[in-house]
Structure formats: C-alpha cells, structure tokens
Amino acid sequence: MTATDARTSVGLRSERGPVLVAIMLATSLVALDSTIIATAVLSITDQLGGFAQFPWLFSIYLLAQAVTVPIYGKLADTVGRKPIMLFGIAVFALGSLLCGLATSMVALIVFRAIQGIGAGAVGPMSITIAGDIYTLEERAKVQAYLAGVWAASSVLGPLLGGVFSEYVSWRWIFLINLPLSAVAAWMIFRQFTENTPRQRHRIDYLGAGLLTAGAGALILALLEGGHAWAWTSPASLALFGGGALMLVVFGVVERRAANPILPLWVLTRRVLVASSLVSLLVGAILLGLTSYVPTFAQGVLGTSALVAGLTVGALTLGWPLTASQAGKVYLRIGFRATSLIGSALGAIGALSLLLVDGDSTLLQVAIGCFIVGAGMGMVASPTLIAAQSSVDWSERGVVTSTNMFARSIGSAVGVAIFGALVNSRVGGVDHPAPEDLAPAVHLVFLGVAAAAVVMVVAAAMMPRAKS
C-alpha cells in the first residue's frame, strides 16, 4: 500500500496529526485507569471498606475490556472505526462518572466494569485507525508512539493516583477522565473522515458469551477462593469446573463459527503463539507490580501515597527508555534476540524484588521496578511487531486484537491470582497490619518472578528470522 492509498482510503491527508494526538490521548486514559487506583486502594477502602474485594477493581475492568475487544473488532468492519471509537469513549466516560460518584465497594466494582466495556473499544480502534492512515513504513514508528503512551500511562497511573488521593480526593481519579475524554472525542469527530468500504459480518455472540462467562467464573473462583469459601468447597469446585468447561465449549464453537470472535488459527503459528504468550505475561507482571508495590510501600514501609506512586513509577523510567531503542536493536539482531534480552532483564528485576522485605529501602524497590520496566520495554513492542509482520494486511487486525486480548486477560487473571495469594494471608481483614501485609505481598513478588521466568521461555519460542 502506498502513502497515497493509505491516506485516501480513509479520506485523510493533513488531518493525520490531530487524529494521532486524539487516539494517543484516548489510549492514555484507558491505560491510566488500569493502574491509577493502585495507590488509592487504602484511601478507597478507608471510606468504602472491602479491602479483600479491591482486586476486583482491577480484574473487572480488565476482564470487561478483554472480552469486548474482539466484538468491537468485528463491529468496526460493519459500521466503521469512527462510530465504534466514539461509542467506546462515551461509555468509558459514563463509567468514569459513575465511579466518581460510587458510595459502596460493590457499586464501584460494577461501575469499573462499565469503564472496561468502553475501554475495550478504545484500545483496538486506536491501533486500527493508525494502521488505516499510515503506511507500512510509517506504522512501526506510530505503533511505537502508541506503545510508549500505553506503557508510560500504565506506570504513571499509580503516581497520579497518589497525587489525587493525597491532595484532593480519590474520586477525582475517575472524574478527571470526563474533560479529557471530551477533548479526544471532539478531535476524532472533527478530524477523522472515514470512507472505507464496510462489510457485513455476523457477530459471534455465542462465542463472546462463553468466553466472558468462562473467564469470569475462573477469575471469581481465584479472587474469592480461600476467602468467601474454602478452596475445596462445592462453590469453588463448581466455578473452576464450570469455567473450564465453558472455555472448552468456547473452543468447539469457535472451530465451527463462520466469523469466530477469536480465530483458532492464531494458535497454530509459532510466532503468534509466542507473541501472545509474552503479551499475556507482560500484562500479569505489570499489573502485579503496579497493584501491590504501592500497597507494600504504604502499608509496610509507611510511605505516603505520593511516594508509593513514585516508587512504582520507576517502571516509567525503564520502559520508555528501552522501548524507544527496541526498533534499532531488532533491526540489527532480530526479534527473537531482542525479546530474549528484554525478557532476561525483566526476570532479573523481578528476582531482585524477592530480596525486598519490611527492612528494605524504597530505593531497593524502585531499582527492581526500573529493571523490570526496562525489560518490558525491550520485549513488548518487538514481539507485537513480529506478529504483525508475519501476516498479510487482511489478518493484521485479528492478530493485533488477539495480542491485546492476551495482555488484558493476563492482567485480569494475574491480578486475580495475586489477589488470591494476598487474601490467603490476610483473610477478610479490611486493614491488615504490616506484619501480615509484608509476607502477603512477598507472595506477589514470587508470582511476578515466576511469570518473568516463563516469559524468557516464551521469548525463546520466537522464530529466529528477523521479520
């Protein structure tokens, strides 16, 4: 596709700059809200209670986002990218407003799900729009911008959350999204002109329902097992068994669906499997650290919310630093070697956090986070671009959505598993003591380290070819 084809296919020329700014802003909001509540957890639970339920604030948002991504991808081929993007921003803003007005933990969890439903449209549409308006040669740089925005926003989230919860109110964590969402929507509405031909596809609602129900049941079992009920209780066994069964049925349905929500052919290509597995583990590692490092810094080391945000914000320094150079590296040594370097760095940083305890300094925690961030920046973008480069234009949207789906599911399931580990130590205590919280969060660090080691194996699965 030539530069002229890329621009005229969506009716864009000089408007590409404002559209790129708009989708970067929208992407930053969605990424911020996946982690921004990390440093506000104690402030929220002090007012609303329910410390044991707070992992749901992360998981429900990420789960709703993950399972709606493939649906929006199909709908975008029917009604176009622009209306789906505007719909997603509107739903995200509505969820943000309701979260800011929540008066109970249950209500806040429900409203976070609404936010996630909107976020599910923003992420894939941003990347798809960028793919529509930029040529193949330009796309790598633009995707690096979007990946950098996503990474920086995700790790800056706890810092901003600490600022709001300490100096204003935790409610402004959500309310600040309203004017920013309005700006992004207005810019897309005014600047993005879409003239692409639209196709009619049947939406795989059965597959979407099975995927949502199966993943939701497993996450519920992980979050509440050992807390609301015993791990071997009938309720726990029913959720695990039922969730696994629905996912098996989902696989059968997808094999027969005319337009499957998650095509199973993506699981038959080595580069796509490796890329998605890396993406899943990146999501789990990132959310594990951004969810619990601030809690550890505040609850165990006795810091303020702002300082806790600065500590985990060391990820911000590491990720963009290496992500900005990843392109030069993989063009020289290939995707696989670059991914191995990044995953190894991430594993070293994660393993260093196993040495952290109640007597550690904030600097020690921050250094570990920085090294992990550096590794993530070196492995996330190269594996995604390797997957995109391995398929034709007609399959690139599916591959990108699958990669994003994997990251969201990894984040949601990772938070659920880490939440289960923490709840196994602190039980139903709304305000755990430092002597209880320290070993509980150490289990999270252990889980993050295990995920990082597996990520090295996943990176080694990448093909040796450079493209």
Side-chain angles (χ1 to χ4, degrees), residues 118-403:
V122 174
M125 288 307 100
S126 295
I127 294 180
T128 304
I129 291 172
D132 286 344
I133 66 179
Y134 288 95
T135 66
L136 180 61
E137 291 75 16
E138 297 169 326
R139 203 174 304 135
K141 181 180 293 186
V142 172
Q143 288 175 349
Y145 291 155
L146 291 172
V149 166
W150 184 89
S153 299
S154 296
V155 294
L156 278 173
L159 175 60
L160 295 178
V163 171
F164 282 120
S165 61
E166 186 166 340
Y167 294 106
V168 190
S169 167
W170 62 265
R171 297 184 183 277
W172 280 98
I173 288 173
F174 305 107
L175 297 178
I176 193 64
N177 291 333
L178 301 181
L180 298 178
S181 295
V183 171
W186 179 82
M187 292 177 68
I188 291 172
F189 180 79
R190 289 293 302 272
Q191 301 292 339
F192 183 42
T193 303
E194 187 175 39
N195 297 319
T196 51
R198 297 169 185 178
Q199 307 173 21
R200 292 289 176 185
H201 290 302
R202 292 185 60 186
I203 304 301
D204 181 19
Y205 292 111
L206 176 58
L210 288 169
L211 179 61
T212 303
L218 293 178
I219 289 176
L220 175 61
L222 288 168
L223 284 176
E224 299 297 332
H227 169 58
W229 50 68
W231 287 107
T232 56
S233 68
S236 182
L237 296 177
L239 284 170
F240 278 117
L245 178 61
M246 281 185 279
L247 292 180
V248 170
V249 175
F250 165 75
V252 175
V253 168
E254 295 305 275
R255 289 178 63 89
R256 301 177 179 178
N259 290 289
I261 192 170
L262 187 64
L264 297 184
W265 58 260
V266 299
L267 303 179
T268 64
R269 303 181 187 180
R270 179 177 168 184
V271 63
L272 303 184
V273 172
S275 173
S276 294
L277 182 55
V278 167
S279 186
L280 183 147
L281 293 166
V282 166
I285 292 168
L286 178 65
L287 263 293
L289 292 181
T290 53
S291 299
Y292 286 99
V293 165
T295 303
F296 181 85
Q298 290 175 265
V300 178
L301 302 183
T303 70
S304 65
L306 177 58
V307 174
L310 287 171
T311 303
V312 74
L315 281 165
T316 309
L317 300 177
W319 191 312
L321 184 65
T322 55
S324 64
Q325 302 300 315
K328 297 177 182 178
V329 176
Y330 68 66
L331 286 175
R332 284 181 172 271
I333 66 175
F335 291 120
R336 182 176 183 271
T338 306
S339 301
L340 279 171
I341 293 172
S343 58
L345 270 177
I348 291 171
L351 290 170
S352 73
L353 291 175
L354 294 179
L355 303 176
V356 171
D357 56 26
D359 297 322
S360 298
T361 64
L362 286 174
L363 180 60
Q364 182 179 348
V365 180
I367 290 174
C369 289
F370 175 84
I371 299 174
V372 171
M376 298 300 100
M378 188 65 74
V379 72
S381 293
T383 50
L384 172 59
I385 296 175
Q388 291 176 325
S389 301
S390 71
V391 298
D392 295 330
W393 174 269
S394 60
E395 298 175 332
R396 190 165 292 125
V398 172
V399 167
T400 302
S401 294
T402 301
N403 192 276

Side-chain angles (χ1 to χ4, degrees), residues 79-141:
V79 301
R81 281 68 152 128
K82 184 175 181 177
I84 297 300
M85 184 67 159
L86 293 175
F87 174 81
I89 293 175
V91 174
F92 177 80
L94 173 62
S96 298
L97 174 62
L98 294 174
C99 286
L101 301 177
T103 57
S104 69
M105 180 62 75
V106 172
L108 185 56
I109 291 172
V110 172
F111 298 152
R112 283 282 284 174
I114 296 175
Q115 266 195 313
I117 291 172
V122 174
M125 288 307 100
S126 295
I127 294 180
T128 304
I129 291 172
D132 286 344
I133 66 179
Y134 288 95
T135 66
L136 180 61
E137 291 75 16
E138 297 169 326
R139 203 174 304 135
K141 181 180 293 186

Side-chain angles (χ1 to χ4, degrees), residues 42-56:
L42 298 183
S43 298
I44 293 173
T45 55
D46 281 344
Q47 185 172 346
L48 302 182
F51 179 83
Q53 280 74 48
F54 97 81
W56 272 107

